[in-house]
Amino acid sequence: MDKITLTARDAFTGLGLPHAAGHASLRADTPASLLAIAPFAGQGAAVSDALKKLGGAALPGAGQSAKGKAMALWWGGHGQWLALGADIGALHAALAGKAAVVDQSDGWVGFAISGSAARDVLGRLCPLDTHASAMPPGHVARSQYAHMMAIIHVLENGFQVLVMRSFLKTAIEETKATLDRLAAEAFIIDVEGYEGPLDLLLSLSRTQKVDLRKVSVLQLARQYLAFVERAKELRLELAADYLVMAAWLAFLKSRLLLPPDPTEE
């Protein structure tokens, strides 16, 4: 009988991480351990005390998280919490008779989205209100993520998302595609005299707040063509929109450079 050899493989192997596009980046971020805690009836306070003695914190309220020296604690739904990074054996021993503890470390994997566009990325993939007023740092939510069940934790500069291991490949592919799409939609130009979004340049030019005589139309055209190459496979209509803007800028600058027409009213 042939010998069968099993090889352990990281869940992120072959998924192309880290990945960055525009103003957001994506990287693997899986906790060392993940245990679900469900306190028995009337044992909530006892569980909080035991967790604090173990280097954790008291059980956080709904939608909240807490950080201790030895572990992080997330609200995980009605009557349930998640302990991240805890010593599995020590946690089982400390909560014996006080709570049901289930090791789910092999079932969940995590990744982090960071950068100034992180909330825009999450907003494309999740039905929740991702504004900072609704989801401040430390907030935890269970929701859909690209049509998959997920647990979302708000970081200072982004989000940590946990999904079931079997859904990871799809989650990463959807997230990478969203990063790329947002980057393609944001046509940022850098020409002599101006650096920023093309639509803002057009607006400022119309109100004469930017001197178009200092803006190189040649550099603008080159950067526009490079943008079209990136964007044409995602949303070609965006390239058309930006072409109209670029044409308006060329027209406005030509009027500045050419002598005025005395017959024009």
Side-chain angles (χ1 to χ4, degrees):
M1 184 175 181
D2 293 338
K3 183 179 180 181
I4 298 175
T5 302
L6 299 179
T7 303
R9 191 179 72 169
D10 183 86
F12 291 91
T13 300
L15 297 185
L17 295 188
H19 179 80
H23 298 287
S25 61
L26 174 66
R27 70 180 192 279
D29 189 6
T30 298
S33 63
L34 178 69
L35 293 95
I37 301 172
F40 299 142
Q43 293 294 314
V47 169
S48 288
D49 290 341
L51 290 172
K52 286 188 284 187
K53 292 178 182 178
L54 205 58
L59 294 173
Q64 298 177 2
S65 64
K67 177 70 174 176
K69 293 181 179 180
M71 70 186 80
L73 292 164
W74 295 1
W75 173 81
H78 180 68
Q80 180 175 316
W81 286 263
L82 300 173
L84 294 82
D87 181 286
I88 298 173
L91 191 66
H92 273 285
L95 298 184
K98 303 180 182 69
V101 179
V102 180
D103 184 4
Q104 299 186 359
S105 304
D106 292 331
W108 294 85
V109 285
F111 53 90
I113 309 165
S114 58
S116 59
R119 290 185 184 271
D120 295 327
V121 174
L122 189 67
R124 296 285 182 95
L125 296 166
C126 174
L128 298 177
D129 180 357
T130 61
H131 191 271
S133 60
M135 296 184 72
H139 183 82
V140 178
R142 297 195 72 141
S143 180
Q144 285 188 345
Y145 182 90
H147 308 293
M148 293 166 279
M149 180 179 65
I151 305 171
I152 302 166
H153 178 234
V154 186
L155 308 173
E156 288 294 335
N157 187 37
F159 302 87
Q160 184 179 10
V161 181
L162 301 183
V163 297
M164 299 300 292
R165 193 183 190 94
S166 57
F167 296 152
L168 179 64
K169 185 175 185 291
T170 301
I172 293 299
E173 289 175 348
E174 292 284 345
T175 307
K176 289 170 65 176
T178 301
L179 262 70
D180 293 341
R181 191 174 296 114
L182 283 170
E185 291 174 5
F187 181 21
I188 305 299
I189 59 174
D190 183 6
V191 296
E192 185 177 351
Y194 177 79
E195 179 179 357
L198 178 60
D199 54 349
L200 178 58
L201 174 58
L202 178 59
S203 177
L204 294 175
S205 301
R206 284 172 167 165
T207 57
Q208 298 182 346
K209 293 181 179 178
V210 165
D211 187 355
L212 276 181
R213 287 170 294 189
K214 297 181 180 179
V215 174
S216 169
V217 174
L218 178 59
Q219 291 181 21
L220 175 62
R222 286 172 175 168
Q223 292 181 32
Y224 169 75
L225 291 174
F227 162 77
V228 171
E229 287 301 313
R230 297 196 309 269
K232 64 184 180 182
E233 295 183 0
L234 298 172
R235 290 182 62 186
L236 188 58
E237 67 272 17
L238 282 169
D241 290 342
Y242 285 124
L243 177 58
V244 173
M245 297 180 196
W248 261 105
L249 284 167
F251 169 71
L252 291 174
K253 181 162 184 176
S254 68
R255 295 195 60 174
L256 287 173
L257 298 177
L258 295 174
D261 185 350
T263 65
E264 188 177 79
E265 296 183 358

